Structures are given as C-alpha cells and as structure tokens.
Amino acid sequence: MTDHWNAIRRHWELLGPPLRPPAEAVETYQRELYLSEAHVVLLGVTPELAGLGATMIAVDESSDMVAGIWPGDTASRRAIIGNWLDLPDSGASVDAVIGDGCLSALGFSAAREALFAAIARVLHFDGRAGLRLFACPETPDHPAAMQALALSGGVSTFHELKWRIAMTATGPAPDHAIPVKTIAERFDALFPDRQELSARTGWEMPVIATIDVYRNSPAIYSFAPTMTLIGEAEAFFDNVCIVPTGSYGLAERCPLLVLRSPRC
C-alpha cells in the first residue's frame, strides 16, 4: 500500500472533493466531536484536518505522504510513521480519533473491524471518534446510467466520478472490495474518449489523468454500505450514529460515522 500512497501524493494538488474534505465537512468534525480542547489522533495526514484539536498526533504508513502533504509539525501537533491497527496510546487516554475515508482504504471487513477495535482501545471512556465514509448505496448505480449522468453534466467533479465508478463494481459482502486498478479499467471502458469527457464536463485533462495513478496499483479499496459499517462499528461502540457532512457532490454518500462509548 505504501507505493500506492506515494503515487497519490505526487498528484495531491489535483485532487478535490469528495476525495478531499471540503470546509463544510471539516466543520462537521469540529461541531460533532467538540475538538477544540481535545487530544486528537488523526488517521492519515489529511492536511484539511491538521488544524483540529488542541493537540494532535497524525499516524500514516507512508513517509512520502508525511513529507509531501502534512503541513508540518508544531508545538501542538506532529506526524509519525505508523500502523493504524497499532495506534500509539498511553492507557486509553485519547479524547478523539478522526479519519477521512480511512475505512475505504482498508479492502476487507476484517481490517475494518480491526481498526474499530484499535480506535476503541485508545479512547478513554468518554472519548469519541469521527470517520468520514465513502459508502456505496444499498442498490448500486447501473454503469450506463452513471455514464449518462456524467456526460450530461450531472457529476460535480472528476473525483466524484471516480467514486461513482468504483461503487458500481464492488465485490460481494462482507468486504464490498474493489482492486484499485479495476476502477481505472472500468473508467477506460465507460469513457474511452477523454477529450469528449473533458469537453462535456469542463474537467481539465491533467485532472482526468489522475485516474492513471490507479492503473498498476496493488491496493484494494472497499465501499461498504452505511448500514454495513454501522453494524461493524456497533461491535465495539455502544453509541454509533451518522451525521451529514454537507451539500458538496456525493456528500450523501460521505457522512460522518460518529462513535462514542467504546467497549473496552
């Protein structure tokens, strides 16, 4: 996975919502989790979230991502190289854990459950967590309908299109997984003429070309339905709820999964 994220880092500035959280999504984390005075663990180094919390430790497995997109260590925050499933803690002392799309970066349900367990372990008894989801609808879109929607201008960004393509082709429960290279293959089949796609949508060709990062990737993503993710989380938390994160493109599939009352 490290090579995959190193490649993503080189194209980071071309990415946008829903892959990166817009301001309204960031405000949702702050509002729902009361982060102003919290000690926060951030899963990944999402720069939009780096300003949250009174203190923060960001955990990422890719040194290139830390070097390339983390806005820098300060007196109150720092980034470390580490594994989300082995989070640093000192006796369940963390106020809040946050992450953006991190469950989709785990290709299998067992890994998602292991992450929920790791989060529950580091939170103190009244700690909370917020994870923005990339959740597949219960009934996936038909590829032809999604193709027509994009060519008619009904998809807000190219990055929304990438997620819509992925969500038409995920595997069965419980994983709901898709190899990242398959997303690129599906894109090529649905949109063989990139110039036409650019002309119809106004998306610039370098932005469309970000799909090529997926082409030889060994990574596997997952796009499980919201109710599946709630069920997985409820094995580790007594209080699980879903909060909308705004009105940006695909926001209805990107709610914040809020977790409270960890089961120690």
Side-chain angles (χ1 to χ4, degrees), residues 16-29 31 48-49 99-101 131-135 154-161 163-164 167 242-257:
L19 274 67
R20 294 177 62 173
E24 56 190 321
V26 176
E27 291 165 3
T28 305
Y29 284 95
R31 181 183 67 249
E48 290 86 350
L49 302 184
D100 203 69
L131 309 174
R132 191 168 68 105
L133 305 181
F134 300 138
V155 177
S156 63
T157 68
F158 179 68
H159 311 297
E160 176 186 343
L161 178 64
W163 269 190
R164 286 184 177 273
M167 291 176 186
I242 289 291
V243 179
T245 60
S247 58
Y248 54 95
L250 214 66
E252 71 279 5
R253 302 185 192 180
C254 304
L256 191 67
L257 181 68

Side-chain angles (χ1 to χ4, degrees), residues 8 21 25 32 59 104 118 128 132 141 150-151 157 164 174 200 205 210-211 246 253 259:
I8 294 290
E32 296 296 325
V59 182
S104 285
R128 59 274 186 203
R132 191 168 68 105
D141 298 329
L151 292 175
T157 68
R164 286 184 177 273
R200 293 273 199 108
M205 291 296 288
T210 60
I211 193 71
R253 302 185 192 180
L259 313 171

Side-chain angles (χ1 to χ4, degrees), residues 10 23 31 44 47 62 75 90 107 135 148 190 192-193 202 204 219 222-223 236 246-247:
R10 292 193 291 272
R31 181 183 67 249
S62 168
S90 53
L190 289 165
D193 188 337
E204 296 180 354
S222 66
F223 295 89
F236 303 94
S247 58

